[in-house]
Amino acid sequence: AQKITQTQPGMFVQEKEAVTLDCTYDTSDPSYGLFWYKQPSSGEMIFLIYQGSYDQQNATEGRYSLNFQKARKSANLVISASQLGDSAMYFCAMRGFGQEGGSYIPTFGRGTSLIVHP
Amino acid sequence: DTGVSQNPRHKITKRGQNVTFRCDPISEHNRLYWYRQTLGQGPEFLTYFQNEAQLEKSRLLSDRFSAERPKGSFSTLEIQRTEQGDSAMYLCASSHRTVANYGYTFGSGTRLTVV
């Protein structure tokens, strides 16, 4: 089984500041992938960033970076230089590769609501 | 092909009625997923297709729910005898087998309200 935990129901950040959204995971699959998605009020899930469990470097995509700490089983999303348009729900997700009971079906956390203040 | 398309965007139905939702994935994507999302929760997996084969179903998918993907193209999700607890956003996602590591493309969802 695999599990994603997001402990921050809501986060507030000042425009242009950086913010970290927490995500911890649990799986017995030795190979897995971690994702972050953004869901604005319109409802669409927007893919932001991916980290493979065997990737040596932390993933980055523009203002998004993933702080991957494998030993701690954490995959925090860092958003630099926050913008008003970043206000949305953010979901952490993972998928396994079918080994040791891991599922290749993506499992999502409960999400964190981010509000960016001007 | 600009993305995953879901229809309708919104559906209001009376309790006990049947509803059907449609998902058109990205044309070259052979994998298709249905998720349900209730207020304040993350998406919960319902069912998964690889081409036309339904390979996995969640325990959430009661016998009132059925999904099909004829010919491995679009998919439909039908809910029979709807209940108020079925009110949720129903999300469809697709991916390609060889690029699944790089994210799953979601549609905008169908918001179901059962009154």
Side-chain angles (χ1 to χ4, degrees):
Chain A
Q2 55 200 32
K3 184 179 179 181
I4 291 284
T5 302
Q6 294 180 255
T7 57
Q8 305 157 315
M11 290 286 287
F12 296 87
V13 66
Q14 201 78 24
E15 193 178 10
K16 299 181 184 177
E17 298 290 313
V19 63
T20 298
L21 306 183
D22 295 342
C23 172
T24 58
Y25 60 90
D26 193 20
T27 181
S28 50
D29 199 325
S31 297
Y32 49 89
L34 296 153
F35 307 82
W36 277 91
Y37 282 84
K38 172 184 179 182
Q39 187 178 43
S41 56
S42 59
E44 185 177 359
M45 297 283 284
I46 302 168
F47 168 68
L48 297 177
I49 196 167
Y50 168 82
Q51 177 84 45
S53 59
Y54 287 106
D55 292 343
Q56 295 297 313
Q57 294 190 338
N58 286 346
T60 59
E61 289 287 347
R63 294 186 299 110
Y64 304 109
S65 61
L66 201 152
N67 184 2
F68 180 47
Q69 298 188 44
K70 193 172 183 178
R72 294 185 177 183
K73 294 189 174 180
S74 74
N76 299 339
L77 177 70
V78 180
I79 305 174
S80 63
S82 297
Q83 302 172 357
L84 296 179
D86 293 336
S87 294
M89 286 292 294
Y90 288 81
F91 292 95
C92 181
M94 76 173 299
R95 59 152 288 175
F97 286 84
Q99 305 174 52
E100 304 293 340
S103 173
Y104 47 82
I105 305 294
T107 301
F108 286 80
R110 295 185 63 171
T112 295
S113 174
L114 176 66
I115 296 176
V116 181
H117 288 299
Chain B
D1 196 356
T2 56
V4 177
S5 176
Q6 289 190 248
N7 289 288
R9 289 294 309 275
H10 303 274
K11 178 72 177 178
I12 300 175
T13 190
K14 291 183 178 180
R15 188 175 54 187
Q17 297 294 305
N18 299 344
V19 294
T20 300
F21 311 141
R22 176 176 171 128
C23 172
D24 288 272
I26 292 174
S27 57
E28 60 265 30
H29 284 185
N30 60 343
R31 295 181 170 183
L32 187 147
Y33 311 79
W34 283 100
Y35 284 83
R36 182 176 70 185
Q37 185 179 22
T38 53
L39 199 61
Q41 302 292 323
E44 297 173 294
F45 168 70
L46 291 178
T47 190
Y48 156 66
F49 290 85
Q50 183 165 311
N51 300 312
E52 67 275 8
Q54 188 175 21
L55 297 185
E56 196 161 331
K57 293 193 291 186
S58 161
R59 291 171 298 173
L60 292 175
L61 213 66
S62 75
D63 55 4
R64 296 184 299 106
F65 288 71
S66 63
E68 294 182 341
R69 193 183 182 196
K71 302 180 181 178
S73 56
F74 71 91
S75 176
T76 58
L77 178 68
E78 181 184 15
I79 309 175
Q80 296 181 327
R81 304 181 304 281
T82 52
E83 303 173 354
Q84 287 188 323
D86 297 331
S87 295
M89 174 78 88
Y90 289 83
L91 294 165
C92 175
S94 69
S95 70
H96 190 280
R97 180 174 176 271
T98 60
V99 296
N101 294 351
Y102 296 94
Y104 300 74
T105 305
F106 280 81
S108 297
T110 294
R111 185 172 297 280
L112 173 66
T113 304
V114 182
V115 297

